[in-house]
Amino acid sequence: MAAVSAAARLRLRILLVVCGVVGALLLRPGEASVHEYRGLGFLSKGNAFILHAGSEGLYAPVSPANATAEDDEDAAAVVDAFIRFDKIIFRRPDDAAKETGSAMVQILVFEIEDREMIGGSAYGGQKAICCTSDLAKLGACTEGSVIYRPSQVNPGWPQLFVASFDGSDSIATLASRTIPITKTGMYNMYFIHCDPSLAGVEIEGKTIWKNPTGYLPGRMAPLKNFFEFMSFAFVLLGIYWFYQYMKFWREVLPLQNCITLVITLGMFEMALWYFEYAEFNETGVRSKGITFWAVTFGTVKRTVARVIILIVSMGYGVVRPTLGGLTSKVVMLGGTFFLATEILELVENLGTVNDLSGKARLFLVYPVAILDAAFILWIFISLAKTLDKLWARRSMAKLDIYRKFTIALAVTVLVSVGWIGYEIYFKSTDVFNERWQYAWIIPAFWHVLSFSLLCVIAYLWAPSQNSMRFTNDASENFDREDSLSLIRPGPIASKNGWSLSSSPDTKASKNIRVTSFDGDEENKSE
C-alpha cells in the first residue's frame, strides 16, 4: 500500500509540473514575427549592455521596391519585405534620470555577413562594443556610441538608430520607421546602451518582421508548403487504409484498429500544423490554441506509434494472446515518453520563434533521447525472440512478414542515426545560422521518415480476407498448415490394401480418414 501511495503521489507531481509548464506557456505573450518587448532586461557583455531583440531569415522580394526608411508607419505598404519599429519606448527610473541627465539607447540592425563590422578591440576578454575614451581620442568613434564600420558588401549596412533621454526625461521614444529588405539574409537586431546608470531601463513596444510571402520567419516559411504536402500524403494513405478497413471490416484485428488510430492522428496533426502556419503567416502572431493541439496530436501519435511497434515486436496477437505482466511496463514507458515529448515540443513551439537554435532546451532533449533509445533496444530484443518462435513453429507466412518488418525497422534506425550525425554536424558548423534557408529540412525529414515507416506497417498489416489467420487464436492451426505444406506426403499404401491420405486441412486433433476398397468410410481419431 505504501508503494502504491508513493507511485500515486509521484504521478500527481508529474501531472502538476506538466500543467504548470503548459499554463505558463499558454499565458506568456506571443513572440513571433511580431516581436513584443515587455519585462526584458539588458545583459552586460564586455563594456556594453545588450538586449537581443530578434533574429530572423528574411528573403528579398523578386522585384525590390524602391523604398527608403521613413518616419511613417504606412511606408511598409510599399515594401514586400521589411523590419518595422512600432512604438518603441524606453523608460528609466526617475532617480537615474535626475542623476545622469542625457543618455541614449542605440538600436543596431545588421545582416549576419556583416558581423565582423561590429565592435572593436578586445575588452575584458570580449570584443568591445562601446567606444571608449581612448578610441575617441584617436578619432575612431564617438565616446559612448556603438562601434561599427560600414559594410563593403552591403551598402548602407549595418544600420544604427538612437533613442535619446533628453535632460532629466524618464522616457525615450524611438520614432516609428520601416527598414526595407533588399537582400536575402539572416538579420539581427540588438538594443544596446553604454551607460551603467541605465541598467534598470525598461522597454515597451514591438518590431514587425515580414517576408515577401508573409510574416513567417524565413526558416519556417518552407514548412507551410511542406505540411500542406504531408496533409495530402496522409489523405492518400487514409483513403487506402480506410478502403481496406471498410472492405474487410469483419476481419479487422485490434492491432489494425491501433494503426487506424495512428493514421487518423497523423491526418489531424498535419492539418493542424498547416493551419497554424497559415494563420501565423497571415497575422504574424502564433495561435497558442492551434499550436497546443497540433503539438498534442503529434505527441500522442508518436507515443502510440512506438507502443504499437513494441507490442507488434513482442508478437502480440500473433504468437501470444496477451502481454501478461509486461503491460504495465509498456504503459509506463509510453506514458513517460509522452510527458517528456509533450513538454519538449511545447517549449520549442510555444516559446520564442527567433531563427536561432535554443541551447537552453538541451536539458529537455536528453530524456526524450534516452526514452527513444529504450524503445529501440526493447523493440529489437523482442523482435529477435518473436522471430525465433516463428521459426521454431515453422510459421512461414508470419515469419516472412516479421522479416520484412525487421528490415524496415533496421533501415529506419540506421537512417535515423545517420541523420542525427548530419544534424549535429549541420548545427555545429553553422554557429551563426548562415545556412538558415536549409534548416527546415531537418524537422521535415523526421516527419517523412516516420510517415514512410507508417506506410510500410500499413502495407504489411492491411486488413484483408486472410487477416484472422494471423491472430494468435488461429496460430496453432496455421502453424500446422505451414509445416505440413512443406512435406505434403502422398497416399500411403498399407499391407492390408488400405490407403491413408494426409492433407494440410486435417484438424489439430490429427483426424485420419480411412477409406476401404468397398467405398465405406469411417473417421478415426488418435
Side-chain angles (χ1 to χ4, degrees), residues 506-518:
T506 55
K507 297 182 179 179
S509 59
K510 299 184 180 180
N511 290 341
I512 301 177
R513 186 176 297 279
V514 183
T515 307
S516 63
F517 289 109
D518 58 6

Side-chain angles (χ1 to χ4, degrees), residues 169-216:
D169 291 344
S170 59
I171 293 177
T173 303
L174 178 66
S176 296
R177 66 179 67 235
T178 298
I179 306 173
I181 302 300
T182 57
K183 178 187 175 183
T184 299
M186 171 65 70
Y187 288 85
N188 294 264
M189 180 185 296
Y190 289 91
F191 297 151
I192 304 172
H193 70 80
C194 304
D195 192 341
S197 65
L198 294 178
V201 69
E202 297 179 355
I203 178 174
E204 295 180 6
K206 61 184 177 181
T207 55
I208 301 172
W209 307 54
K210 184 180 181 298
N211 271 296
T213 56
Y215 291 98
L216 275 174

Side-chain angles (χ1 to χ4, degrees), residues 452-467:
S452 301
L453 182 59
L454 180 59
C455 288
V456 172
I457 294 174
Y459 171 75
L460 292 177
W461 272 276
S464 66
Q465 60 184 0
N466 298 321
S467 294

Side-chain angles (χ1 to χ4, degrees), residues 44-343:
S44 176
K45 292 188 177 181
N47 65 343
F49 298 87
I50 299 176
L51 170 62
H52 181 227
S55 295
E56 287 190 14
L58 295 175
Y59 292 92
V62 177
S63 299
N66 295 324
T68 57
E70 299 178 5
D71 298 338
D72 185 5
E73 295 183 9
D74 297 331
V78 297
V79 185
D80 291 329
F82 60 82
I83 301 173
R84 188 176 72 193
F85 299 101
D86 188 8
K87 300 177 181 178
I88 302 292
I89 297 174
F90 300 94
R91 183 178 287 105
R92 61 178 175 175
D94 293 335
D95 295 340
K98 294 177 181 179
E99 294 177 3
T100 306
S102 298
M104 63 179 178
V105 177
Q106 299 168 82
I107 298 89
L108 182 66
V109 184
F110 63 96
E111 204 273 325
I112 197 63
E113 290 183 357
D114 300 328
R115 61 183 180 275
E116 298 299 330
M117 301 292 104
I118 311 299
S121 57
Y123 179 88
Q126 300 185 31
K127 180 184 290 188
I129 302 298
C130 293
C131 182
T132 62
S133 58
D134 294 336
L135 291 174
K137 291 177 181 179
L138 296 175
C141 54
T142 303
E143 185 176 358
S145 64
V146 173
I147 303 172
Y148 76 97
R149 298 178 299 282
S151 172
Q152 301 297 323
V153 180
N154 303 320
W157 291 87
Q159 297 197 20
L160 186 68
F161 307 94
V162 177
S164 299
F165 293 96
D166 296 327
S168 59
D169 291 344
S170 59
I171 293 177
T173 303
L174 178 66
S176 296
R177 66 179 67 235
T178 298
I179 306 173
I181 302 300
T182 57
K183 178 187 175 183
T184 299
M186 171 65 70
Y187 288 85
N188 294 264
M189 180 185 296
Y190 289 91
F191 297 151
I192 304 172
H193 70 80
C194 304
D195 192 341
S197 65
L198 294 178
V201 69
E202 297 179 355
I203 178 174
E204 295 180 6
K206 61 184 177 181
T207 55
I208 301 172
W209 307 54
K210 184 180 181 298
N211 271 296
T213 56
Y215 291 98
L216 275 174
R219 187 179 60 175
M220 300 172 66
L223 288 173
K224 175 176 172 286
N225 294 331
F226 170 77
F227 285 122
E228 184 178 14
F229 169 78
M230 288 301 299
S231 298
F232 180 71
F234 263 98
V235 168
L236 292 181
L237 177 61
I239 290 173
Y240 162 75
W241 181 265
F242 288 116
Y243 172 77
Q244 294 292 113
Y245 191 95
M246 297 302 296
K247 185 177 180 180
F248 304 104
W249 65 274
R250 294 181 182 274
E251 308 292 328
V252 171
L253 307 175
L255 174 62
Q256 291 164 337
N257 287 329
C258 294
I259 297 175
T260 303
L261 175 61
V262 174
I263 294 175
T264 304
L265 289 171
M267 295 172 67
F268 276 108
E269 180 194 12
M270 293 300 107
L272 284 170
W273 277 125
Y274 172 73
F275 286 121
E276 196 266 350
Y277 274 60
E279 182 176 353
F280 187 7
N281 193 51
E282 289 294 326
T283 63
V285 178
R286 202 162 191 180
S287 172
K288 293 279 192 286
I290 298 178
T291 304
F292 172 78
W293 286 113
V295 166
T296 302
F297 272 105
T299 305
V300 173
K301 185 202 73 174
R302 291 172 62 184
T303 304
V304 173
R306 281 160 174 73
V307 171
I308 288 176
I309 293 174
L310 178 58
I311 64 176
V312 167
S313 302
M314 291 178 174
Y316 171 69
V318 178
V319 298
R320 58 194 305 171
T322 65
L323 296 179
L326 296 175
T327 302
S328 59
K329 296 180 180 178
V330 172
V331 172
M332 183 179 298
L333 179 60
T336 307
F337 178 83
F338 171 80
L339 291 176
T341 307
E342 179 79 354
I343 293 174

